[in-house]
Amino acid sequence: MRKEEKMRIVIACIAGALLFTIVSARLVDLHVSKHAEYSRIAAEKNTVRQIIPAKRGLILDRNGDKLAVNLPVHTVFADASHIKDAEAVSELIARYLGLKQSEVSQKIGTGGKYLVLKRKVPDETVLKMQAEMSERNLRGIYTEIDSIRAYPNNSMLGHVLGYLNHERKGVQGIERTMEKHLSGEDGFRYTERDRTGREIVLYRGQEQEAQHGKNIRLTIDMGLQAILEEEIDATYRDLKPHTVNAIMVDPKTGEILAMASRPCFDPNKPGSADPETMKNRSIIDMVEPGSTFKIVVAAGALNEGKVDEKSSIFCENGRFFYGGRTLKDHHGYGHMSVHDILVKSSNIGCAKMAMMMGGDKFHEYVRRFGFGERLGIELPGEIPGLVHPPARWDKLTITRMPMGHSVAVTPLQITMGMSVIANGGSLMAPQIVKSIESQDGEVERQQSKVVREVIPEKTAHFISDALACVTQPGGTATFARVNGFNVAGKTGTAQKVSEKGGYAPGEYVVSFVGYMPAEDPRFVCLVMVDDAQVSSGLNYGGLVAAPIFSRIAERSARHLDLVPTQPAIALQPDPITTLFDAEEETR
Amino acid sequence: MQKNVIAFLMLAVAGLIALGLVMLFSTGAFARDSHGDMYLFVKRQGFWLVVGIIAALIAASVDYHFWRKWWWVFFAGSAFLLLLCFIPPIGQRINGSSRWINLGFGTLQPSEFAKISSIFFVAWWFSREDITFEKLKNGLLLPISILGVPMVLIVLEVDIGNTALIGAAALAMIFVAGGALRWLAVLAPMAFASIFLVALAVPERVQRLVAFTDPEKYRLCEGLQQWQGLIAFGSGGFDGVGLGEGRQKMHYLPYAHTDFIFPMIGEELGLKATALTVFAFLVILLCGALISANARDRFGMLLGLGCTMLITIQSMVNLGVTTSLLPNKGMPLPFISYGGSNLVVCLFLIGLLVNIHRQGQPLVSRFAPVLLRPHFEPRV
């Protein structure tokens, strides 16, 4: 009996030892064979990669006004693995975020760890929601600070600033060209969370700080920009043109002080804007410049010694038969000096000067003035315009191009071309970014660049003197005068090129580009009105664009605090007939 | 071995208790979230440890034949306490189970006492000289019927685990006592089937059974605890992630300080600690068996075996559940899991083993003279 009992105890022990062996085998299996698999699961479960978002840089004007800023908002997301009472949570979320409860619970039902429920939720909603959640002891809903880009001035300067797409990348304007400076680089942090979602600070892992974006300081002066925008707004409203645009440049540095065009859009709501309104017409529109282009031929002919200040050119009494066509002036003129040809804007005089220079030389000057090339402004989509080489000219081109036809240029090119005259002969690179300023105060200034010396100072002064007379009584743009200042400038009126080919009858692009004060220009300003709805007898640069320039220039003078150089006089406009820009009629 | 069996037993038990306290320090730190004091669990466990040691000393000092004489008092007493559990103001119902008696300052779990009194009874019954296994009535039916009283009461309060534990320990005792194999071969499957049927009657248990088949699939509901337990073992590897560094205790693994403390050992200390833990329980089993085999009389043999089986089976169930070898069943790991009554009972059982050893076969125990002989001369 005793022996049998011992036997049975031994059997029981063996059975127990066997069971413990099974447990041990299982432990080896779990600890060793499944180590990699379960470690990965554990790491995935606990570890969270937190993005530390980089702040996008601001865009400032030259005086530090904020043109593009970031507003804090929240992204609300759910971590389904932390949600216990899905019903109550989805009800609460639906109520606060204005979503459908069925949608929310469906989303939570998918079981992810990062289910974005709604973006761009304002602060106060999130605070209230979180308060109720903690009160009712619900969890699983978290928020991330996010930011949206806001443009406090709405549509003002919208074309220059541009906007962001949904991925928060700049798609237009400065936002696009300066993307790499503005965007910065998101940082990240690996951290662990316990099951209630709280961060375990002890186990913070690798961390990289966010590189915040740099601020971009523009050369734009919002004071001048406001003036420009108001004036072209009024024009756009009153004259109902197809487009209006205006550019103001500091001729000595090439800094763009203001740039605006109509129609425009609000970069805060790019989604609802008509694509047509988003074009920055100052750099992507091709236009025939009209008579403003005459400065090129005059400067070229003088510089090449084909004419001098005293030369007299016969202007064929207003009808010049050449190449099978008659070129007309508005008024018949006899012999005129270069000075007078510019003041009176004689087409025939300009054509003859170009013929004296010859096609190749003239073309060279057109190119030297910056036409037909991209000037390299820091804005997307700039076009070079269209200047055919002499080999592709027809017989008439030599008479047409000097007065700004048969050539396509951008408004910016006209402005920069005029700046050559205003600053004494240098073509400046247009500059819109003044400096790039990092968050820690490091400032990278952008230098103004001379593209090339186009003409000597003497020639520039001669042309400038003539242009100053354009706004004087007897010139084509007396409406451009500003009381107390000498204004130099040139009008332009060109028939619009029809989409079907040829010119569209009764549609004109009229412009005035001038600078002030003429003796020491502080700004060059172009005003260009495309197809203003006025009777075709009045649709001239001197009548439509010049008065706008005058208003802009006068207000800008106040803003810039310019000291008047001339005694103030009561302006007596000449009879309209004397102002007419003489243009070629239909071809 | 024979002479030093108590040393081995004590070493195993002390090691397990020490490991338990260390792990309680680690896992209990998160008690602050729910109880406010990160040392609360350790303090309470320390208190119960003292109580348990006192209980063990009593058990070791009192001649175990005392229990043979008075077993019926304990048996009736524990049955009475079990009944009290069902009377609302005294009995306390937590999570759908009426396992506790409210003492005002704490709770008492009568099923723990029932465990002890049950093995007292079984040991007494089969050590009677008039009992033979030849007769079915005396040899099997009667003792099982008597044992059935506390077991049914425990089942009714919905504590299948402890019922099964008592049943299994009793079966092992009957087996060793010389129960006829033909009857046991019928009885064991029946017991197993009845436990299974009872489990099926409670919906919650059914879900646990289903979840057991694939913890990963049910990892968000019933399988959560076992799944997280598996992750704990797996991420521990051989060396563990380091003491105190475990992540699973941070609310991922429910009951990480009580029933599921073993996976936390696995995560923080790795295979070397879990394997040693299993080895320690094996040592307890072997020591217990040796002590029983060398007991002075049949009662001592059966009682020692019952004590050993209670501890061993309980640890096996816990190890099996936490490693997902068995369906989820909340049963504390002896000496390690947080929980007062179980620690006290287990230490009391160890105390009984010590006493049996001391009165064992002549010259077997080095520790025999300690308390029974007034003139003890210590051997250094």
Side-chain angles (χ1 to χ4, degrees), chain A residues 5 8 26 35 192-193, chain B residues 175 234 247-248 252 298 323:
Chain A
E5 278 166 8
R8 292 197 176 200
R26 172 71 168 172
H35 177 53
E192 292 187 25
R193 288 199 306 211
Chain B
F175 169 73
R247 312 296 202 265
Q248 292 297 88
Y252 285 105
R298 197 172 157 80
T323 52

Side-chain angles (χ1 to χ4, degrees), chain B residues 56-72:
Chain B
L57 286 176
I58 291 172
S61 343
V62 176
D63 184 353
Y64 66 84
H65 296 96
F66 171 80
W67 314 110
R68 184 181 184 184
K69 202 183 259 176
W70 296 103
W71 71 269
W72 57 273

Side-chain angles (χ1 to χ4, degrees), chain A residues 55-77:
Chain A
K55 278 186 230 149
R56 194 175 174 86
L58 308 180
I59 303 179
L60 310 167
D61 88 337
R62 66 188 300 138
N63 302 316
D65 280 359
K66 294 187 174 80
L67 306 181
V69 297
N70 305 307
L71 294 184
V73 287
H74 295 260
T75 299
V76 179
F77 66 97

Side-chain angles (χ1 to χ4, degrees), chain A residues 1-2 4-24 26-32 34-43 45-47 80-82 111 113 139 192-198 200 202-203, chain B residues 33 174-179 181 184 224 227-228 230-231 233-238 244-248 250-252 262 266-267 270-271 274-275 278 281-282 285-286 289 292-295 297-298 301 305 309 312 315-316 319-320 323-325 361:
Chain A
M1 195 67 188
R2 195 74 189 165
E4 198 195 335
E5 278 166 8
K6 281 197 175 167
M7 202 55 211
R8 292 197 176 200
I9 288 178
V10 169
I11 290 172
C13 281
I14 289 173
L18 205 67
L19 290 175
F20 279 129
T21 310
I22 293 173
V23 171
S24 303
R26 172 71 168 172
L27 282 173
V28 172
D29 173 47
L30 286 175
H31 274 302
V32 181
K34 300 229 170 104
H35 177 53
E37 183 193 346
Y38 284 128
S39 298
R40 185 180 50 74
I41 294 172
K45 180 167 56 68
N46 306 343
T47 311
S81 62
H82 294 172
K113 289 180 58 154
R139 60 187 200 201
E192 292 187 25
R193 288 199 306 211
D194 70 13
R195 191 153 166 271
T196 57
R198 289 173 308 189
I200 306 163
L202 196 63
Y203 296 135
Chain B
D33 294 342
I174 294 172
F175 169 73
V176 172
L181 285 177
L184 285 175
L224 172 94
W227 173 245
Q228 297 291 359
L230 290 180
I231 292 176
F233 282 122
S235 51
F238 184 80
E245 298 278 316
R247 312 296 202 265
Q248 292 297 88
M250 294 167 183
H251 305 282
Y252 285 105
F262 191 55
E267 188 189 13
L271 177 62
T274 50
V278 175
F281 282 112
L282 183 63
L285 168 66
L286 294 178
S292 310
N294 291 304
D297 50 22
R298 197 172 157 80
M301 188 268 285
L305 197 85
M309 283 301 153
T312 306
S315 65
M316 268 178 196
L319 298 180
T323 52
S324 290
L325 290 170
Q361 301 290 339

Side-chain angles (χ1 to χ4, degrees), chain A residues 26, chain B residues 205-216 218 222-223 226 230 320-321 323-328:
Chain A
R26 172 71 168 172
Chain B
R205 313 286 144 134
V206 180
Q207 283 167 347
R208 281 185 181 177
L209 278 177
V210 174
F212 164 68
T213 59
D214 188 355
E216 184 168 4
Y218 295 94
E222 276 72 24
Q226 284 185 311
L230 290 180
V321 165
T323 52
S324 290
L325 290 170
L326 294 173
N328 199 347

Side-chain angles (χ1 to χ4, degrees), chain A residues 371-382:
Chain A
F371 297 105
E373 66 175 298
R374 290 190 179 89
L375 296 171
I377 190 171
E378 291 275 21
L379 286 173
E382 191 195 1

